[in-house]
Amino acid sequence: MSLPKETADQLIREKMVKEGLSHAFIDDFIEKVDQVRKGETGIVKWDTVGDLDPKQDEIDLTEIQKNYKGSKENLAKLVVIKLNGGLGTSMGLDKAKSLIPIKDNKSFLAVMASQIEYIREKFHIEVPLLLMDSYNTQDDSQNLLRQIGFKQKITTSFLQHKVPRLDAKTLAPVNFKFPKEDWCPPGHGDIHFTLIETGILDELINLGYEIAFLSNGDNLGATVDAHIVTYLLEEGIDFAMEMTPKTLADKKGGAIYRKLNDGIFQKYELLETAQVPKENEHEFSGIGKFRTFSTNNLWINLKALRKRFLEGNFSLSLIVNPKVVEGTDVIQLETAMGSAVGNFAKFKGIIIPRDRFAPVKKTEDYLIRRSDAYTLNEDYSLTMSKARKESGLGEVLVNLDDAFYKKINAFDSLFKSYPSLLFCEELNVEGEVEFDSFVSIKGKVTIQNKTGSKRKISELKTEVLQNQVYSF
């Protein structure tokens, strides 16, 4: 059943007005709906995807650190913004992911706050920390910051918008049994619109801040580098994305590319997994055409952002995300904050070491970061352990049986003791295995439990598991 455009749009407008969303934001959302109505799928045309020019488009972080001196004066122009709207639903969480412990009994958010306090004490300046929260995370996160005594002159939080889920056939807003399911986040691309609409962007600029460092709240490797701030200011870079060499563990990482029209460079764009044509997914996830991927550690000049937004036609690539909710086919319209790159000519990709990218998207990541393969350093950055790096090992590859480890509560119940992964290359766990005692895992190890009932790692009667398959 189809609905006339006017009817569907009116239903969307009424639902969003009732939630107190602004007319400007509603107009922007309805414009995106109209794009879908006209056939926009968010899928890119593969012949428009061109390679970056390493000499012109990229610079290595080591080169920046060598040639640009970090200074207190430049660092005083920096604001740090963390994406903190996620609940970690894929891990079975019903609260902000940033509130769960990650290292030394500190939560993600407590570590983020410690990172900022370290910079403040070292340089004797107030670098502000702003969280882009969602309606689901703001209260809990602000309560934690108050509990640990984190303070600053400007707000520590601003709210991400929410948008209605749409019926995939009619493009009208859905009305589910549980009203909360009617809504979804609009993707982290919303950050640009929200900074401007709330007046926070103007406030930051008026206070003398010029550069914002944006990153995901679950990536504790993304710490402030004063050299980058100086580089951006001295070279007049408006938009920079940290990119790191792709490995086999990075099949879903987005990538910056040169958008071509008949082979001629038009502008820079961000390509996300959901925008890749099915027939090109193998090429996208491989390490041939796309040598690096975007970490979502993003640096942006605040004055350039405001200027570009006021010029009009500030656009972000649309991501059309199909879902099934309560048995109904719906679509979620989202944007990625990195896709703002298409609005700026003065772009640079900063090639970084893997240490600046240590996210937690699933329980496998959580195990790796909590293990001794990663260390919380003096500056509260979470990086690969020194001994692991010196041994020449890269990212640990971990595969845990989804039937038993996907959700955090089940994961916690089965990891009574975290194994040593310091010298582990790959760990595969098949079946239900409780890690009830400490073991050291080295090389490539597979643990199989095909008995149909839970078994304990202590039953293997060894403290070192190395380069073989262990079966119950």
Side-chain angles (χ1 to χ4, degrees):
M1 172 186 171
S2 60
L3 278 179
K5 166 181 164 27
E6 294 76 14
T7 304
D9 287 356
Q10 184 60 29
L11 291 171
I12 292 170
R13 189 174 295 278
E14 289 173 358
K15 192 176 186 77
M16 295 179 78
V17 166
K18 190 175 180 181
E19 288 294 308
L21 296 164
S22 74
H23 290 291
F25 182 71
I26 294 170
D27 288 343
D28 180 74
F29 181 73
I30 289 178
E31 187 178 316
K32 290 183 172 67
V33 177
D34 208 39
Q35 290 178 39
V36 176
R37 192 177 284 118
K38 292 174 180 176
E40 176 61 61
T41 63
I43 304 298
V44 303
K45 294 179 180 178
W46 203 245
D47 61 1
T48 69
V49 179
D51 296 338
L52 291 180
D53 181 343
K55 292 182 179 178
Q56 184 176 336
D57 301 330
E58 300 173 359
I59 185 171
D60 199 278
L61 179 58
T62 55
E63 185 179 337
I64 292 176
Q65 292 171 333
K66 179 181 177 182
N67 297 316
Y68 297 87
K69 185 179 180 181
S71 70
K72 177 178 178 178
E73 291 72 27
N74 286 335
L75 203 54
K77 299 173 183 177
L78 176 72
V79 57
V80 175
I81 303 176
K82 294 285 187 178
L83 305 182
N84 190 54
L87 285 178
T89 50
S90 61
M91 293 168 61
L93 289 164
D94 57 3
K95 62 180 180 180
K97 187 201 296 183
S98 62
L99 299 183
I100 62 174
I102 183 64
K103 213 72 170 174
D104 298 347
N105 291 320
K106 280 177 167 281
S107 67
F108 285 89
L109 185 51
V111 173
M112 283 183 247
S114 295
Q115 289 174 351
I116 296 299
E117 288 173 336
Y118 176 85
I119 291 290
R120 290 177 179 178
E121 290 173 11
K122 182 177 180 179
F123 291 92
H124 305 290
I125 53 174
E126 183 173 298
V127 173
L129 171 65
L130 274 68
L131 305 177
M132 184 169 82
D133 284 306
S134 67
Y135 290 93
N136 295 315
T137 65
Q138 190 175 50
D139 288 345
D140 288 342
S141 297
Q142 291 304 296
N143 285 337
L144 179 67
L145 288 180
R146 281 191 289 270
Q147 288 170 15
I148 62 178
F150 185 85
K151 296 177 182 178
Q152 61 190 34
K153 294 174 184 176
I154 64 173
T155 182
T156 52
S157 173
F158 60 97
L159 266 181
Q160 179 182 27
H161 286 103
K162 61 180 180 179
V163 295
R165 287 182 167 129
L166 305 177
D167 185 286
K169 295 178 181 177
T170 67
L171 298 185
V174 290
N175 293 290
F176 288 123
K177 178 181 177 182
F178 299 101
K180 190 175 180 181
E181 296 294 338
D182 294 358
W183 301 90
C184 63
H188 43 64
D190 182 56
I191 195 167
H192 306 294
F193 197 103
T194 307
L195 281 172
I196 291 161
E197 189 181 65
T198 57
I200 290 176
L201 181 63
D202 285 335
E203 181 185 0
L204 291 171
I205 292 173
N206 292 339
L207 289 171
Y209 296 105
E210 296 185 33
I211 301 292
F213 177 36
L214 290 64
S215 62
N216 293 346
D218 63 13
N219 178 17
L220 296 177
T223 52
V224 171
D225 188 310
H227 302 86
I228 296 178
V229 180
T230 297
Y231 167 70
L232 299 173
L233 291 170
E234 290 188 2
E235 299 300 329
I237 305 296
D238 292 336
F239 194 100
M241 174 70 81
E242 294 186 20
M243 308 188 304
T244 195
K246 183 180 279 192
T247 71
L248 295 175
D250 309 309
K251 293 183 178 181
K252 292 188 176 182
I256 303 288
Y257 69 99
R258 283 180 163 235
K259 186 172 184 178
L260 308 177
N261 186 3
D262 291 330
I264 299 172
F265 172 55
Q266 300 292 304
K267 60 179 179 177
Y268 300 103
E269 286 283 13
L270 174 69
L271 181 62
E272 295 279 12
T273 306
Q275 297 170 298
V276 178
K278 286 281 184 188
E279 61 270 23
N280 300 109
E281 285 179 352
H282 180 72
E283 185 179 359
F284 177 73
S285 62
I287 53 178
K289 182 177 180 65
F290 299 97
R291 298 167 292 101
T292 62
F293 70 96
S294 303
T295 62
N296 225 31
N297 299 351
L298 186 159
W299 301 79
I300 190 163
N301 185 291
L302 296 176
K303 291 180 180 178
L305 174 62
R306 181 170 67 179
K307 179 177 180 292
R308 180 64 190 84
F309 202 86
L310 292 175
E311 288 172 355
N313 298 317
F314 186 91
S315 62
L316 301 173
S317 302
L318 183 61
I319 300 171
V320 182
N321 192 358
K323 297 271 187 178
V324 177
V325 181
E326 293 186 12
T328 300
D329 289 327
V330 301
I331 58 171
Q332 299 180 181
L333 302 188
E334 304 171 4
T335 57
M337 72 179 184
S339 69
V341 66
N343 298 282
F344 301 94
K346 296 178 180 177
F347 160 78
K348 192 69 74 170
I350 301 175
I351 308 302
I352 61 167
R354 188 64 183 222
D355 270 355
R356 290 183 62 80
F357 184 69
V360 175
K361 303 299 181 188
K362 51 190 180 178
T363 52
E364 283 93 341
D365 301 328
Y366 190 56
L367 173 62
I368 294 167
R369 311 298 175 231
R370 293 213 69 175
S371 79
D372 57 359
Y374 273 75
T375 301
L376 197 61
N377 303 303
E378 180 190 8
D379 63 354
Y380 294 96
S381 60
L382 184 67
T383 61
M384 193 177 288
S385 299
K386 183 179 178 181
R388 182 175 181 82
K389 285 188 284 190
E390 289 177 345
S391 69
L393 292 171
E395 184 65 61
V396 191
L397 291 177
V398 173
N399 294 292
L400 303 176
D401 196 319
D402 272 358
F404 303 102
Y405 297 94
K406 186 175 182 180
K407 304 300 184 183
I408 195 72
N409 288 340
F411 171 92
D412 284 339
S413 71
L414 290 172
F415 278 96
K416 299 287 197 310
S417 175
Y418 289 112
S420 169
L421 300 180
L422 189 60
F423 300 111
C424 174
E425 295 176 57
E426 185 175 334
L427 169 64
N428 300 289
V429 182
E430 302 167 11
E432 188 178 13
V433 179
E434 179 183 311
F435 286 73
D436 62 320
S437 61
F438 178 78
V439 290
S440 181
I441 299 174
K442 299 180 179 181
K444 297 180 180 181
V445 169
T446 295
I447 303 168
Q448 297 176 332
N449 174 15
K450 297 181 179 181
T451 66
S453 58
K454 183 172 71 175
R455 304 300 292 268
K456 297 185 177 184
I457 203 76
S458 58
E459 295 175 42
L460 295 176
K461 300 188 182 304
T462 178
E463 292 185 358
V464 179
L465 283 64
Q466 186 168 3
N467 288 324
Q468 70 181 72
V469 176
Y470 296 83
S471 299
F472 290 97

